[in-house]
Amino acid sequence: MPDPNRPRIQPVDVNLQEPLKSKMAKIFPPELPSPNLYRSVARNESLFIDMIDMRFIGPTGLMDRKTITPRIRELMILRTCVQARNDYEFNLHVRTISEKLGLTSAEIGDIRNAQIDDSLWPAEESSLIALVDELVGSTSVSDGVYERASKYYSESELIEMVQLVGLYTSVAMLVSLIRPELDPY
């Protein structure tokens, strides 16, 4: 019987060779080893390089167009990870960038709870947590959740936010396939 804790797809060696070495340097600081998930996806080298060249993967994650504030973006990514049961990506973000992007340790702890502590979150942010919960839980958005979120965010922002949730849900699927080991950060 296969070991459920053992990676299915081994990452390429951490001592990257060109062209992966220079591509990875564009998205991850040189003082930290590149993440296991990134190096596992790099088993499909041409896809991985295309994702970087198209700016699909960047230093703050997937498809960061700089149109959503870093804090909101990170909040949505972490909540998506929680709802999609993606501990790997959650830990990667928390250990590397979540606090730098504006989330407090109390908020990071609370975002793991099924029911958030409303006293920690402004109404506009709790509306996004509800949006993520519905999208990941049922791939739908109720009128009530839409009305709450649309009080604070434009149609354009909401469309991009839904795309972000979808992308990080697909990351959860990759993690489920690959089963990367947690990174040593």
Side-chain angles (χ1 to χ4, degrees), residues 27 77 116 132:
I27 59 171
I77 290 168
I116 59 164
V132 170

Side-chain angles (χ1 to χ4, degrees), residues 123-172:
E124 61 265 30
E125 291 179 358
S126 68
S127 76
L128 294 180
I129 292 169
L131 178 68
V132 170
D133 290 355
E134 285 196 356
L135 286 168
V136 178
S138 66
T139 66
S140 64
V141 178
S142 67
D143 289 340
V145 166
Y146 174 79
E147 292 302 321
R148 277 179 63 196
S150 66
K151 286 180 189 175
Y152 307 106
Y153 302 99
S154 70
E155 291 172 343
S156 176
E157 289 170 318
L158 290 170
I159 289 167
E160 187 169 334
M161 290 170 176
V162 170
Q163 287 295 306
L164 181 67
V165 171
L167 291 172
Y168 277 88
T169 301
S170 72
V171 169

Side-chain angles (χ1 to χ4, degrees), residues 71-136:
R71 177 184 164 81
I72 293 297
R73 200 180 135 70
E74 190 65 9
L75 161 72
M76 295 190 76
I77 290 168
L78 292 184
R79 189 59 176 196
T80 300
C81 289
V82 168
Q83 293 300 83
R85 297 173 305 284
N86 185 354
D87 287 335
Y88 172 87
E89 190 73 14
F90 185 92
N91 284 306
L92 176 62
H93 275 254
V94 168
R95 291 177 178 182
T96 58
I97 62 174
S98 295
E99 288 186 5
K100 291 176 189 170
L101 297 178
L103 293 176
T104 67
S105 58
E107 291 167 335
I108 292 167
D110 189 54
I111 208 159
R112 281 194 170 275
N113 296 327
Q115 290 295 323
I116 59 164
D117 178 352
D118 285 326
S119 69
L120 287 176
W121 305 100
E124 61 265 30
E125 291 179 358
S126 68
S127 76
L128 294 180
I129 292 169
L131 178 68
V132 170
D133 290 355
E134 285 196 356
L135 286 168
V136 178

